[in-house]
């Protein structure tokens, strides 16, 4: 277990280092510097700007300086908004994104697992066909289509829910539904197929043979094993929810990090793009790592690998 | 009566002909299973229809994706018009208070020129064949008035004959833009899938075939790439490249080959232990030829399935990026940018969103169905 852990941690650090390097390189090969403007800026101003943001140093030095900053959780200043740092954006945006993501994750788990269980237990009947039909729709329709469709129906036509903003709790309903659509469908399909497989195992027959009630067989014996594949995809699911939130935050005008990220890209605010990417990547990789640890604890067979 | 077990069997050439059948090739077998699945066939038909729509559509339409006619903006495909004072002429009032004259079949003739705007009476006057007609916007919905100030009530619902699917806010024909958008989506689908297939197959094939340390290093690289959130990097790479179609294709191709590489490596690892590879080696076939001629063709089934599964995510990624404004640059039409343009005026002109959104969904459905069908047809064991 410990060897596995150290190996995974080492891999994670290498990945993070590569991510920062890759982001750094990508941001420096971009055509047109951060100060490229419609108006011609005098050369003296440009060089002063470069000096201020330390862009006149050799690239390697800049990279090391950036890494040093990261180690102290300092993502550097924003190039477009004077006086604002990337940390300000993250601090103001992340709570919104995290709340949206956490709510969606809870909603996804609460909706998808029962969906999968019901359709596995009623497999081949109309309940199964209905739920799996809905799940097929959910995995194929892009999130922005779901989001705008929900917006049109529930906010514009019916007027039940607000069109944007998250000042009231109602504001979260549509974003959560739209963001979770894909993951719910995906996890429901996974739960169904994995539960179907488990239900055919010998130990389920044994549990039934010793006279346990069917609900107990399912809850105590089948589900814990059937949910292992679901746990493994939780990491990618979290990643999916976070990146999906770019478009959801844009549509519902939620001032989260996704919105900042998209804005910083269109404004070519390099330090913000870099900072947000590195932050996102670190967050996601840590999530995947935690999920994997959890998975290790759940299924002792993994450790042997 | 006993049957002599050693008697010669009756020989009947005619019967032998009837019993014999042509062995089905592997491709024929796959096609047989594929064609037995209604969803797969539907998907394939849809793909073919959409390809025809995207390739030949633009030749048949009189409009272009970037041809604007601002006077004809925001006209839906189906609208309610009121009868004009002239026979067989109708007025359609757009969401932003422009008055369009149409004929009885729904062909748009012109936009009426505005003469005066009387704020106190909330009434706009338009010049119409020498006389004035009025639009009273004090009530909701606004009412057209004839030259004597009486409301025009008679009318009918018309299908838009000039722009079959309506126009967007700049007066561009939505049908034409849909054709170009579909063209972009399909191009992305096929090119990105092909590029990823080549990179992934070669990478995975070499890694699996060489094995040992090379394999370990190459797979560690794949492991690291696959832990990086790919969406972020597609976006980042896209930002550093040009804003055209090639930018998106390069961005997609540079990260999505990882799955393909894993699949091919797994296949190669199991295939290279088989006897036919040994046989090839004994007769002195070069390693390159073994990989390219023997191993990869045998792994073609899983490769094709992985490729088909990759297509919907490539299409989605393009639409996603165009939707958040970093994909295809305007004025080129992409389904994602069309959806994005429509969101701003969703309340007034929902059709501008629904048409491209429907198209994206159809494309995604079609490719998913084909992918599922192909997976089941190539490897019935995978079927759930």
């Amino acid at each position: 277990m410990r060897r596995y852990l150290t190996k995974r941690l080492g891999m994670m650090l290498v990945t993070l280092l590569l991510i920062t390097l890759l982001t750094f390189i990508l941001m420096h090969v971009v055509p047109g510097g951060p100060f490229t403007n419609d108006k011609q800026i005098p050369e003296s101003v440009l060089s002063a700007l470069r000096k201020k943001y330390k862009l006149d140093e050799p690239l390697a030095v800049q990279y090391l300086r950036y890494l040093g900053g990261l180690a102290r959780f300092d993502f550097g200043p924003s190039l477009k908004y004077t006086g604002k740092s990337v940390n300000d954006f993250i601090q103001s945006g992340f709570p919104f994104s995290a709340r949206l993501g956490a709510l969606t994750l809870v909603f996804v788990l609460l909706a998808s697992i029962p969906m999968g269980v019901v359709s596995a237990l009623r497999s081949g009947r109309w309940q199964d066909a209905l739920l799996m039909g809905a799940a097929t729709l959910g995995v194929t329709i892009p999130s922005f289509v779901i989001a705008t469709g929900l917006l049109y129906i529930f906010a514009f036509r019916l007027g039940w829910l607000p069109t944007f903003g998250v000042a009231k709790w109602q504001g979260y309903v549509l974003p959560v539904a739209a963001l979770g659509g894909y993951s719910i469908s995906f996890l429901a399909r996974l739960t169904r197929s994995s539960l179907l497989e488990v239900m055919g195992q010998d130990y389920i027959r044994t549990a039934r043979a010793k006279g346990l009630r069917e609900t107990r067989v399912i809850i105590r014996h089948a589900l814990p094993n059937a949910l292992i594949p679901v746990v493994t995809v939780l990491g990618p699911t979290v990643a999916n929810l976070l990146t999906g939130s770019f478009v959801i935050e844009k549509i519902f005008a939620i001032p989260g990090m996704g919105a900042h990220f998209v804005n910083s890209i269109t404004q070519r605010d390099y330090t913000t793009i870099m900072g947000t990417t590195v932050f996102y990547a670190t967050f996601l990789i840590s999530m995947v790592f935690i999920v994997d640890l959890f998975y290790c604890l759940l299924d002792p067979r993994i450790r042997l690998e | 009566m006993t049957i002599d077990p050693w008697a010669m069997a009756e020989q009947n050439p005619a019967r032998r002909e009837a019993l014999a059948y042509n062995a089905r090739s592997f491709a024929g077998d796959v096609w047989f299973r594929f064609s037995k699945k209604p969803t797969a066939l539907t998907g394939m038909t849809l793909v073919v229809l959409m390809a025809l729509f995207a390739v030949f559509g633009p030749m048949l339409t009189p409009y272009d994706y970037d041809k604007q006619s601002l006077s004809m903006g925001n006209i839906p495909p189906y609208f309610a018009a009121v009868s004009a004072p002239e026979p067989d002429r109708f007025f359609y009032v757009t969401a932003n208070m422009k008055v369009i004259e149409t004929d009885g079949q729904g062909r748009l003739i012109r936009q009426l020129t505005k003469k005066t705007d009387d704020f106190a009476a909330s009434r706009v006057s338009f010049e119409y064949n020498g006389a004035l007609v009025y639009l009273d916007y004090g009530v909701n919905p606004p009412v057209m008035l004839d030259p004597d100030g009486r409301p025009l009530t008679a009318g009918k619902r018309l299908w838009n004959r000039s722009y079959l699917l309506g126009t967007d806010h700049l007066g561009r024909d939505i049908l034409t833009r849909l054709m170009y958008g579909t063209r972009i989506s399909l191009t992305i689908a096929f090119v990105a899938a092909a590029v990823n297939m080549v990179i992934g197959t070669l990478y995975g094939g070499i890694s699996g075939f060489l094995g040992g340390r090379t394999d370990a290093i190459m797979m560690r690289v794949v492991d690291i790439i696959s832990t990086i959130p790919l969406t972020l990097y597609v976006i980042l790479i896209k930002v550093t490249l040009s804003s055209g179609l090639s930018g998106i294709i390069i961005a997609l191709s540079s990260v999505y080959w990882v799955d393909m590489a894993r699949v091919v490596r797994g296949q190669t690892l199991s295939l290279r232990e088989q006897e036919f590879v040994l046989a090839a080696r004994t007769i002195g076939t070069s390693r390159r030829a073994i990989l390219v001629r023997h191993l990869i063709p045998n792994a073609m089934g899983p490769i094709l399935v992985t490729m088909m599964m990759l297509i919907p995510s490539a299409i989605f990624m393009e639409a996603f990026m165009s939707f958040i404004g970093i994909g295809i640059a305007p004025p080129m039409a992409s389904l994602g940018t069309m959806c994005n343009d429509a969101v701003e005026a969703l309340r007034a002109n929902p059709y501008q969103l629904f048409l491209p959104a429907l198209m994206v969904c159809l494309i995604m459905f079609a490719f998913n169905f084909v992918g599922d069908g192909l997976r089941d047809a190539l490897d019935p064991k995978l079927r759930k």
Side-chain angles (χ1 to χ4, degrees):
Chain A
M1 186 72 183
R2 177 169 294 163
R3 251 192 77 199
Y4 176 76
L5 262 184
T6 35
K7 199 178 128 194
R8 279 301 311 266
L9 260 176
M11 279 268 299
M12 203 172 111
L13 286 179
V14 172
T15 314
L16 284 179
L17 205 66
L18 270 175
I19 285 175
T20 52
L21 187 61
L22 195 66
T23 325
F24 189 81
I25 293 171
L26 280 177
M27 283 301 101
H28 279 86
V29 298
V30 179
F35 307 118
T36 313
N37 207 313
D38 291 342
K39 287 178 292 184
Q40 196 68 43
I41 302 175
E43 192 54 39
S44 57
V45 177
L46 266 182
S47 65
L49 272 173
R50 286 209 198 90
K51 205 168 200 90
K52 183 182 175 219
Y53 291 109
K54 303 203 169 71
L55 294 176
D56 50 349
E57 291 173 10
L59 280 183
V61 177
Q62 284 187 44
Y63 177 62
L64 287 180
R65 184 190 302 284
Y66 189 69
L67 273 189
L70 286 185
R72 286 175 273 119
F73 298 104
D74 174 14
F75 291 96
S78 160
L79 292 181
K80 284 281 143 130
Y81 297 93
T82 357
K84 281 228 169 203
S85 72
V86 182
N87 288 46
D88 292 339
F89 289 135
I90 294 176
Q91 271 159 18
S92 70
F94 188 64
F96 286 104
S97 300
R99 206 172 306 145
L100 178 65
L103 276 175
T104 313
L105 188 64
V106 171
F107 171 62
V108 163
L109 290 179
L110 287 183
S112 64
I113 294 173
M115 259 175 86
V117 170
V118 168
S119 83
L121 296 181
R122 293 276 177 278
S123 99
R125 286 185 235 175
W126 65 267
Q127 293 97 327
D128 182 32
L130 185 77
L131 287 175
M132 284 304 113
T136 309
L137 285 182
V139 288
T140 35
I141 301 180
S143 56
F144 64 86
V145 174
I146 301 184
T148 44
L150 288 176
L151 188 69
Y152 182 70
I153 297 171
F154 290 101
F156 288 162
R157 290 321 285 263
L158 299 173
W160 292 349
L161 295 162
T163 51
F164 63 88
V166 283
K168 284 182 289 182
W169 67 267
Q170 288 97 328
Y172 278 107
V173 176
L174 292 183
V176 164
L179 186 54
Y182 175 85
S183 302
I184 290 178
S185 315
F186 182 73
L187 286 184
R189 295 214 307 199
L190 191 65
T191 311
R192 174 180 180 271
S193 61
S194 128
L195 187 60
L196 274 181
E197 202 183 309
V198 168
M199 291 303 276
Q201 301 278 322
D202 288 345
Y203 66 86
I204 296 295
R205 195 181 50 197
T206 313
R208 278 186 186 140
K210 68 182 186 186
L212 291 184
R213 262 176 291 125
E214 191 64 19
T215 44
R216 198 174 161 79
V217 171
I218 292 162
I219 292 171
R220 283 298 296 273
H221 295 265
L223 264 188
N225 280 314
L227 289 184
I228 287 175
V230 177
V231 174
T232 44
V233 296
L234 274 187
T237 302
V238 171
N240 207 323
L241 292 183
L242 270 188
T243 44
S245 69
F246 297 165
V247 59
I248 301 295
E249 284 175 8
K250 182 178 146 78
I251 293 175
F252 293 100
I254 298 172
M257 265 186 73
H260 275 310
F261 183 62
V262 174
N263 279 339
S264 65
I265 283 177
T266 41
Q267 293 177 335
R268 310 237 150 192
D269 185 351
Y270 296 127
T271 44
T272 311
I273 303 179
M274 269 177 79
T276 333
T277 311
V278 171
F279 181 81
Y280 264 125
T282 316
F283 183 77
L284 290 179
I285 289 172
S286 326
M287 287 309 284
V288 173
F289 182 66
I290 293 169
V291 167
D292 276 6
L293 279 191
F294 201 54
Y295 176 51
C296 250
L297 295 177
L298 273 186
D299 192 350
R301 283 172 296 183
I302 310 296
R303 270 176 249 165
L304 299 174
E305 176 238 5
Chain B
M1 182 188 148
T2 51
I3 298 170
D4 175 11
W6 306 107
M8 284 282 274
E10 179 200 358
Q11 289 212 351
N12 186 342
R15 207 168 126 67
R16 192 164 60 197
E17 283 297 304
L19 279 175
Y21 66 97
N22 290 326
R24 258 201 318 245
S25 66
F26 179 65
D29 214 30
V30 167
W31 170 246
F32 174 77
R33 283 194 292 261
F34 186 85
S35 62
K36 283 282 172 285
K37 234 184 130 164
T39 51
L41 275 188
T42 318
M44 208 179 68
T45 321
L46 269 178
V47 171
V48 171
L49 286 180
M50 284 183 302
L52 291 177
F53 177 71
V55 174
F56 296 109
M59 299 174 192
L60 303 176
T61 147
Y63 306 101
D64 211 350
Y65 66 85
D66 58 352
K67 190 186 148 219
Q68 306 179 358
S69 45
L70 290 172
S71 59
M72 294 292 178
N74 289 333
I75 299 173
Y78 184 62
F79 51 82
V82 290
S83 309
E86 302 269 312
D88 200 40
R89 287 288 180 271
F90 293 84
F91 291 140
Y92 167 67
V93 184
T94 67
N96 30 4
M97 307 286 168
K98 283 184 280 190
V99 178
I100 311 280
E101 185 190 11
T102 76
D103 70 4
Q105 269 80 50
R107 269 184 281 274
L108 310 182
I109 298 168
R110 65 193 164 109
Q111 182 191 2
L112 298 192
T113 32
K114 194 193 238 177
K115 297 298 277 187
T116 56
D117 190 348
D118 183 354
F119 287 110
S122 53
R123 187 179 278 204
V124 192
S125 66
F126 294 94
E127 135 107 82
Y128 181 64
N129 294 355
L132 285 179
V133 290
Y134 304 96
L135 176 68
D136 180 0
Y137 58 88
V139 288
N140 193 19
V143 179
M144 286 298 293
L145 309 173
D146 70 3
D148 305 326
R150 284 184 306 252
L152 292 163
T153 44
K156 65 175 182 180
R157 304 190 72 87
L158 293 169
W159 287 99
N160 190 338
R161 280 291 186 81
S162 300
Y163 301 95
L164 291 177
L165 295 181
T167 56
D168 69 0
H169 62 295
L170 295 175
R172 295 175 293 197
D173 181 40
I174 288 187
L175 182 64
T176 311
R177 287 178 65 76
L178 273 183
M179 290 164 183
Y180 281 94
T182 311
R183 187 182 266 193
I184 285 191
S185 287
L186 293 182
T187 316
I188 298 263
F190 291 118
V191 178
V195 173
N196 279 302
M197 187 177 108
V198 173
I199 301 179
T201 306
L202 284 179
Y203 192 95
I206 292 171
S207 172
F209 185 54
L210 293 181
R213 179 165 293 192
T214 323
D215 178 43
I217 294 172
M218 286 176 92
M219 278 302 118
R220 213 39 13 104
V221 172
V222 165
D223 282 347
I224 288 175
I225 294 181
S226 65
T227 47
I228 298 176
L230 293 185
T231 316
L232 280 179
Y233 278 87
V234 174
I235 295 177
L236 270 194
I237 294 171
K238 176 71 193 59
V239 173
T240 59
L241 295 166
S242 65
S243 56
L245 191 58
S246 54
I248 289 192
I249 289 175
I250 296 173
L252 284 174
S253 321
S254 49
V255 289
Y256 273 98
W257 54 270
V258 177
D259 285 339
M260 180 67 82
R262 283 212 170 119
V263 169
V264 178
R265 172 182 174 263
Q267 288 291 316
T268 320
L269 273 184
S270 65
L271 283 174
R272 70 170 188 172
E273 302 301 331
Q274 298 201 355
E275 279 82 0
F276 69 89
V277 178
L278 189 64
R281 206 175 284 166
T282 357
I283 58 169
T285 317
S286 73
R287 295 215 288 188
R288 205 179 124 211
I290 291 180
L291 183 62
V292 178
R293 299 274 300 276
H294 298 286
L295 293 181
I296 290 176
N298 272 294
M300 221 50 210
I303 291 177
L304 276 181
V305 171
T306 318
M307 191 180 89
M308 285 309 294
M309 296 296 171
L310 203 138
I311 289 182
S313 45
I315 294 175
F316 168 74
M317 206 54 218
E318 184 274 318
F320 181 88
M321 288 198 291
S322 298
F323 186 83
I324 57 179
I326 48 178
I328 302 284
M332 193 62 214
S334 141
L335 298 175
T337 43
M338 288 177 75
C339 287
N340 189 21
D341 289 345
V343 169
E344 286 154 28
L346 181 56
R347 195 190 292 266
N349 305 306
Y351 67 95
Q352 289 176 7
L353 173 74
F354 293 150
L355 294 167
L358 185 72
M359 201 67 209
V360 178
C361 293
L362 276 183
I363 296 180
M364 296 281 286
F365 271 121
F367 280 106
N368 269 309
F369 283 157
V370 174
D372 282 352
L374 201 63
R375 182 193 59 203
D376 293 348
L378 279 166
D379 191 354
K381 278 177 296 186
L382 283 177
R383 194 175 202 151
K384 283 187 186 137

